[in-house]
Amino acid sequence: MPATPTRDHLDALLPADTPTDLMARLRTAKDGQARALALVEVARHTRETSLGSAQALGEAALSEALRCGSARAAVEALIGLTFVSASLGQQERALDAIGRAQAMLEEHRLTELLSAVLNTRALTRLTGGDVTGARQDLQDALDLARQARDPADQGNALVNLAWLACSTGDPKDALHHLNLLEELIHTLGDEGLAESLSAYLHENRAHAYALLARQAQELGREDAQRQAVQQGLMVLRAARTALQATPSLTSELLCAAHESTLLRLQGDLRGAERLARRAAQLNAVLKQQLYIEPQVCLAELLQARGEIDAALSQYSAALDIARRQHRHLDIQRLLSAISALHEQQGRLPEALDVLREALQAANTALDRVNGAAARHLQLDRELRQARADASSWQDRLRHAEVQARQDPLTGLLNRRGLEEGLQQLQFPGDGARPADWSLLAVAFVDVDHFKHVNDRHSHAVGDQVLRVVGRLLAGQVRPGDLLGRYGGEEFVLVTPVRTRGRAHGLAESCRRAVEAHDWSALLPDMHLTASVGYAVTTPDRLPQALRIADDHLYRAKNAGRNRVFPAAP
């Protein structure tokens, strides 16, 4: 858990485009709770342009809430951190944060925040592929908001139900929820809330009509396709008016992508390309690469023109984004599109390979959902046990946050801690990435024949061996490097380097540290070694580098173990 930020550190976190009213609210906050809630609002505003900064501001808000003892502000901060973590693909962290928010909400009887908690948990579940759980959360959130007569929470639940319906290919259900949203908007006395919800209303309606038009085209229903296109374009005119009242780069990007799709289905390929390029430009301005819509609408346009290889390239770019964020539904949709494109071209082996990948991705997503459910139950048990202890709720939350990132056996980062560190390197907030982290070495270190250690000497001795290996590797790194236990007997190290030669030297030093250690006290009949695979990359290509380093580790193992791959440059 980060320390409470100083004024100078906080100034460094605040984006240059922070609205003056939010700045004034933060500067004039009279107590810790007001200051924490102001930080939550700034973080919410910052999400659109920098998730890294939003996460740092959310952590600052949580620290301030813990310092001043405000459970309400802590729950608000955790809700915001859940949204950001889910957007960054940090599923475990998102579920942990929302689990703590829910536990605190129950402990302090902050029932008026339950709808917001359920809304946010639903988005996290949907991103991970748990559609049933997400739908139930959103329906519960809507029911609670109606009972409490809270129009903002009602509106959010209806928007999210529509988004879920579009994400699962059910545009008619989406339009049903959006009609309810429009009825709600007409009853609002809060003009600002009405304008904000209207922007979501029009963008989601355009999305639903684009889906209807696409489905009609697939069924060969030309009249239905033409009608859906006309309705979608009419909605987009209303969306542009709404965006003038409530500007949003995200909504503008999505509307441009929807309009590109509708124009393509209308046969206006030139107009569709212009809007697709516009969506791509807005995506570049956001600097986050969170949205796949620009790549998808451009891929479909290229496919319509017969430029198949270019279309596949755009689909692959979208797939990389979806994989980075573990967005199961989008991954399946994109793999299906890629497979169908291969099949249309008569590339049946390629189509089959992609279908196999889709099946593997589905199994991985199912494992993630089951793992998240198990982690949620474990977290609930931990929080209930902690509640029975004498420590304050602030101390319990701090302790849980540290435990969630730390491997209990070695004291190094666990897989979640590593993934969060890697995400921060990809999506840094202002000042979050050290200046010298422009070229990175990624190394996988795996203990050779570790199964023999457990078989011959017991798992207890195996645990001691892993602790020693962790200490040996820690002796090779510098402060600020990322080092953690990735799972089993495998460790990961990420550090800035100036040259590939330096990366190889670091990998060799890790290998030699394990080989040179005197293992006789722990393993009198064994001499322990390790294999290392590494890759050198830039921060924006970390996911690819991890896969390459893992492949290089496999090659080091196959080449005889106790070696580094690739060899010295």
Side-chain angles (χ1 to χ4, degrees):
M1 181 71 67
T4 301
T6 63
R7 173 60 65 87
D8 289 343
H9 178 57
L10 186 57
D11 287 342
L13 289 177
L14 294 174
D17 65 343
T18 303
T20 54
D21 60 327
L22 290 181
M23 289 288 290
R25 180 179 171 186
L26 183 59
R27 300 299 186 198
T28 59
K30 295 181 178 179
D31 55 37
Q33 175 171 290
R35 184 178 172 84
L37 291 173
L39 282 167
V40 169
E41 288 300 318
V42 177
R44 187 174 293 130
H45 166 79
T46 307
R47 288 194 312 225
E48 185 164 277
T49 53
S50 174
L51 287 174
S53 292
Q55 192 166 57
L57 285 162
E59 294 283 6
L62 182 57
S63 294
E64 183 67 24
L66 294 175
R67 186 192 65 78
C68 72
S70 171
R72 171 180 292 278
V75 171
E76 294 270 18
L78 285 166
I79 290 172
L81 284 169
T82 300
F83 183 92
V84 173
S85 298
S87 299
L88 288 170
Q90 301 169 358
Q91 294 297 316
E92 287 190 9
R93 182 177 185 180
L95 287 170
D96 280 358
I98 206 63
R100 293 191 184 99
Q102 189 171 0
M104 290 178 62
L105 180 148
E106 294 171 0
E107 181 177 355
H108 297 275
R109 299 178 181 174
L110 300 169
T111 53
E112 67 275 16
L113 295 176
L114 181 55
S115 179
V117 166
L118 291 173
N119 255 303
T120 309
R121 189 173 73 179
L123 297 180
T124 303
R125 283 180 159 176
L126 181 59
T127 302
D130 184 4
V131 176
T132 302
R135 184 177 288 111
Q136 186 61 59
D137 273 349
L138 289 175
Q139 192 58 57
D140 289 345
L142 180 59
D143 292 342
L144 284 168
R146 283 171 171 164
Q147 292 171 17
R149 299 182 184 277
D150 186 324
D153 282 345
Q154 285 185 64
N156 288 335
L158 288 168
V159 167
N160 290 332
L161 280 165
W163 179 62
L164 183 150
C166 285
S167 298
T168 54
D170 191 351
K172 292 183 179 179
D173 188 48
L175 290 172
H176 165 70
H177 292 298
L178 294 170
N179 288 339
L180 295 176
L181 176 62
E182 186 173 32
E183 293 175 8
L184 172 67
I185 291 172
H186 288 321
T187 68
L188 294 177
D190 184 336
E191 185 177 346
L193 178 59
E195 289 179 348
S196 175
L197 291 176
S198 292
Y200 289 118
L201 169 70
H202 300 314
E203 184 271 310
N204 279 278
R205 266 189 175 156
H207 188 188
Y209 282 125
L211 286 175
L212 279 172
R214 185 185 285 116
Q215 290 174 358
Q217 182 193 46
E218 292 170 355
L219 294 172
R221 298 173 56 191
E222 294 182 5
D223 289 345
Q225 177 183 337
R226 189 180 306 110
Q227 183 180 11
V229 168
Q230 290 172 351
Q231 289 175 311
L233 293 174
M234 182 172 62
V235 166
L236 283 166
R237 287 195 289 271
R240 283 191 285 271
T241 301
L243 283 170
Q244 290 176 356
T246 310
S248 166
L249 286 175
T250 298
S251 294
E252 189 178 350
L253 177 156
L254 294 173
C255 285
H258 301 329
E259 188 169 2
S260 173
T261 298
L262 290 166
L263 291 176
R264 176 182 60 80
L265 293 169
Q266 194 181 49
D268 181 2
L269 298 188
R270 180 175 297 179
E273 181 175 9
R274 176 176 56 81
L275 269 299
R277 301 294 182 191
R278 174 61 177 160
Q281 289 172 357
L282 291 167
N283 209 23
V285 171
L286 287 172
K287 298 179 181 178
Q288 297 194 79
Q289 293 297 301
L290 290 178
Y291 301 98
I292 64 171
E293 284 78 5
Q295 288 84 359
V296 170
C297 68
L298 187 55
E300 291 173 339
L301 172 66
L302 293 165
Q303 184 176 348
R305 287 179 168 173
E307 300 176 32
I308 303 304
D309 289 338
L312 285 171
S313 177
Q314 290 297 324
Y315 277 129
S316 296
L319 188 59
D320 284 343
I321 295 171
R323 281 174 173 155
R324 189 164 62 232
Q325 298 166 50
H326 308 299
R327 287 158 53 180
H328 167 65
L329 296 179
D330 287 331
I331 290 170
Q332 291 297 309
R333 178 160 64 94
L334 291 165
L335 287 173
S336 295
I338 293 170
S339 176
L341 196 53
H342 280 307
E343 188 174 356
Q344 289 171 12
Q345 297 299 304
R347 305 170 182 172
L348 299 185
E350 290 88 345
L352 182 59
D353 286 344
V354 175
L355 286 176
R356 287 172 177 158
E357 186 179 356
L359 178 60
Q360 183 180 2
N363 290 331
T364 299
L366 183 61
D367 289 342
R368 279 185 173 274
V369 171
N370 292 334
R375 173 59 184 152
H376 190 72
L377 291 174
Q378 178 187 350
L379 175 66
D380 185 62
R381 287 194 296 268
E382 291 172 357
L383 289 169
R384 292 183 187 281
Q385 179 60 46
R387 192 180 298 173
D389 296 338
S391 61
S392 68
W393 64 266
Q394 294 103 313
D395 290 338
R396 295 200 302 269
L397 194 61
R398 290 188 183 101
H399 182 63
E401 190 72 11
V402 170
Q403 283 189 318
R405 291 174 170 81
Q406 189 177 68
D407 174 43
L409 181 64
T410 63
L412 303 176
L413 292 174
N414 61 14
R415 186 162 185 160
R416 169 185 151 175
L418 281 166
E419 288 179 347
E420 289 179 14
L422 294 172
Q423 288 282 359
Q424 288 172 4
L425 290 176
Q426 287 182 266
F427 303 100
D430 294 338
R433 181 193 294 158
D436 59 343
W437 286 61
S438 56
L439 196 64
L440 305 176
V442 180
F444 277 83
V445 182
D446 189 87
V447 179
D448 295 327
H449 300 299
F450 184 72
K451 185 177 183 298
H452 295 171
V453 174
N454 287 331
D455 290 345
R456 293 185 192 178
H457 298 279
S458 80
H459 286 275
V461 171
D463 287 348
Q464 293 182 57
V465 167
L466 291 176
R467 291 191 192 96
V468 173
V469 171
R471 290 197 297 271
L472 293 172
L473 296 180
Q476 310 305 312
V477 303
R478 300 168 296 184
D481 290 349
L482 289 179
L483 173 64
R485 183 182 173 208
Y486 205 61
E489 66 273 20
E490 194 170 75
F491 297 81
V492 172
L493 166 64
V494 182
T495 182
V497 293
R498 294 185 182 279
T499 65
R500 292 182 180 274
R502 167 59 185 153
H504 182 271
L506 179 64
E508 271 291 350
S509 68
C510 290
R511 184 197 66 78
R512 286 196 298 268
V514 176
E515 181 187 37
H517 182 73
D518 182 2
W519 294 101
S520 59
L522 275 177
L523 308 170
D525 60 340
M526 292 182 67
H527 182 67
L528 209 65
T529 60
S531 301
V532 186
Y534 73 93
V536 179
T537 185
T538 52
D540 60 309
R541 294 187 58 80
L542 269 173
Q544 296 91 325
L546 285 166
R547 289 194 290 270
I548 293 170
D550 192 37
D551 177 66
H552 287 174
L553 173 63
Y554 177 79
R555 295 190 182 196
K557 291 282 190 183
N558 275 357
R561 295 182 170 82
N562 191 26
R563 66 192 63 217
V564 169
F565 190 92

